[in-house]
Amino acid sequence: DKIKPAPTRPVGPDYRSESQKPAATVSVEVGIETVTVLPQTPQLIALLSIIRDKATDRGDFIFYSNRIIRLLVEEGLNHLPTTEHTVTTPVGRPYDGLSFQGKICGVSIMRAGEAMEQGLRDCCRSVRIGKILIQRDEETAQPKLFYDKLPEDIADRWVLLLDPMFATGGSAIMAVEVLISRGVPEERILFLNLIASPEGIRNFAAKFPKLRVVTAFVDQGLDEKNYIIPGLGDFGDRYYTR
Ligand code: URA
């Protein structure tokens, strides 16, 4: 895969003229119907600028990553089914609204995905959360499933799969295969991540055409060590160690 040029454009609300908006690098467009990229707002770009900065300390990295995670969870929830639901307000009037339908659970890909669990809990009180540990097998260099702990009724739930950095997609593909083997249909899985690579997204969409991905940003590509570029380095190291 060739490294894509960084798309740079004025960022800001529509009512401002182009000359009033500062320019910034925005997400690469992948043009895949199942992939939702968060709106490239000044707020999102400013939050990403903080967590991408190598000079950002751990406290700020955690705080600002958590804000982006919250945006991802809120957007992810928009893709779950709802039904019409009318309520009566305290002034005795009806309001024709919606209610969420269907049970959900989170599944984090350890260790970095665990950083996204609290953001999900903040939006969905007492949500069930499972975990999957996948690591590279030293002998084969392929991803290998080391551990999983999943709700026993996972086949009846919508699954929000959590991993902040979507690089080659190797771990995510294996995690989805585990979920499918436990009876979760592909179309009931939503994969939430902060930064994705175009090649990871394309591999994944070719393999799981019905699975939805919600990401904050698609970056330019991968380097020779499969780090996302420009990326933010090792998410787990920056979130969990100093
Ligand atoms: N995982 C990370 O933490 N960072 C990357 O760039 C790729 C995978």
Side-chain angles (χ1 to χ4, degrees):
D1 259 285
K2 292 264 184 319
I3 300 298
K4 304 261 174 314
T8 296
R9 63 165 169 79
V11 173
D14 289 345
Y15 59 80
R16 288 200 189 127
S17 69
E18 299 291 277
S19 64
Q20 287 175 313
K21 298 184 213 176
T25 301
V26 295
S27 174
V28 167
E29 284 184 25
V30 285
I32 299 174
E33 194 275 322
T34 49
V35 176
T36 299
V37 180
L38 292 186
Q40 303 292 292
T41 58
Q43 169 169 229
L44 178 66
I45 301 293
L47 295 172
L48 282 164
S49 305
I50 295 171
I51 65 167
R52 287 179 187 279
D53 187 344
K54 68 176 184 182
T56 296
D57 67 23
R58 179 164 168 250
D60 279 348
F61 186 84
I62 293 171
F63 182 85
Y64 292 102
S65 296
N66 287 347
R67 283 193 54 195
I68 300 172
I69 290 164
R70 179 67 180 247
L71 296 174
L72 284 168
V73 172
E74 297 282 7
E75 174 55 28
L77 295 174
N78 283 329
H79 299 272
L80 300 177
T82 51
T83 49
E84 294 176 1
H85 180 63
T86 299
V87 295
T88 305
T89 72
V91 290
R93 300 296 174 129
Y95 171 72
D96 297 330
L98 296 175
S99 71
F100 287 112
Q101 200 195 26
K103 295 190 292 184
I104 68 162
C105 71
V107 171
S108 59
I109 302 180
M110 294 162 74
R111 137 188 95 154
E114 292 173 296
M116 300 174 75
E117 294 177 0
Q118 191 58 45
L120 178 58
R121 287 200 172 95
D122 290 344
C123 295
C124 307
R125 270 199 292 169
S126 65
V127 64
R128 299 289 309 274
I129 293 189
K131 292 178 192 284
I132 291 180
L133 176 62
I134 291 161
Q135 279 179 338
R136 191 192 291 252
D137 186 307
E138 295 299 339
E139 280 167 25
T140 65
Q142 294 300 310
K144 181 174 166 196
L145 176 66
F146 276 83
Y147 168 84
D148 69 85
K149 181 148 180 52
L150 300 169
E152 58 299 327
D153 61 349
I154 194 164
D156 304 327
R157 293 175 183 268
W158 283 76
V159 177
L160 280 74
L161 183 63
L162 310 173
D163 195 5
M165 302 296 279
F166 184 8
T168 61
S171 312
I173 287 171
M174 177 158 283
V176 171
E177 283 167 348
V178 172
L179 296 174
I180 290 173
S181 77
R182 303 297 159 85
V184 184
E186 187 184 316
E187 56 270 33
R188 258 201 270 126
I189 304 171
L190 288 172
F191 181 31
L192 308 187
N193 49 83
L194 280 86
I195 301 181
S197 77
E199 41 273 74
I201 292 227
R202 273 200 300 273
N203 287 342
F204 201 71
K207 227 171 150 53
F208 306 117
K210 289 185 265 180
L211 193 154
R212 297 209 73 87
V213 175
V214 178
T215 187
F217 205 99
V218 183
D219 256 4
Q220 285 169 264
L222 298 171
D223 72 7
E224 60 290 345
K225 288 155 109 186
N226 286 336
Y227 275 88
I228 298 175
I229 52 173
L232 50 69
D234 187 304
F235 186 94
D237 280 358
R238 296 193 64 190
Y239 199 97
Y240 289 113
T241 63
R242 13 182 291 116

